[in-house]
Amino acid sequence: MVKAKQLVFIDFEFSMPERNRVPKGFFPEIIETGVVVVQNGKVTDTFSTYVKPSAFPRLTNRCKRFLSITQNEVDGGISFQTLIDYFNQLNSKGIEKVVTWGNMDMKVLRDNCAQSGIDFPFQAQFVDLSMEYKRFFGDQNQTGLWKAVQEYGREGVGKHHKALDDAMTTHHIYNLVEKDKKYLDKAEPTTIGDRIDLSKLYNQLA
């Protein structure tokens, strides 16, 4: 049986310390997850959940304000192990690419796995769409997710810094960039004959 080749778009939100008080040994933990699964160009699944942090279970006021998230929401979230179980289920169906905006999502996932003594769940190709976007448009600086979609004349999906909305927006930009790539690949370079009526030029030179 041939495994399905899925594209998996992921966005995480992380815990964060207060600006002037960083607890000893603090590290960002995944507290919200948004996933969009695409197969043959169509969204086949979405997944949205809060994740209960274990090393530093109490959210800071800064974190709650920035993400518009409450302590009760994360307290009612799934465990990190349950999140990894979900990713392993996706793996069992075959994943072609894991796509994120920026490289922090996978860095924090790797670190959280290491801190928990859990194997990292993905073996698929990783795509940092923000870097692809930067290279494609020749930008000097890395562009934020919602600024990028607005540069396309569109709007992001839902609310920024909500994990599933950001994953949906990442998927949206991926489609736009891929469409532009195909357009450029199909465009034939113009020849001098396309730009100049050579018969008129020859008559002038005769």
Side-chain angles (χ1 to χ4, degrees), residues 26-49:
F26 179 87
F27 61 94
E29 292 177 86
I30 295 168
I31 56 175
E32 188 183 1
T33 299
V35 181
V36 177
V37 183
V38 176
Q39 189 174 335
N40 298 324
K42 294 184 178 181
V43 175
T44 56
D45 187 30
T46 60
F47 179 72
S48 177
T49 186

Side-chain angles (χ1 to χ4, degrees), residues 101-145:
W101 189 268
N103 60 9
M104 279 301 296
D105 297 276
M106 289 301 107
K107 282 185 176 180
V108 172
L109 179 60
R110 283 186 185 280
D111 185 59
N112 284 191
C113 285
Q115 296 283 353
S116 302
I118 297 173
D119 289 338
F120 185 73
F122 297 120
Q123 293 84 42
Q125 175 188 354
F126 293 109
V127 177
D128 176 354
L129 189 57
S130 71
M131 292 304 294
E132 288 226 345
Y133 184 94
K134 178 181 175 182
R135 287 192 295 266
F136 186 71
F137 289 101
D139 292 346
Q140 289 187 336
N141 300 315
Q142 205 164 342
T143 305
L145 174 61

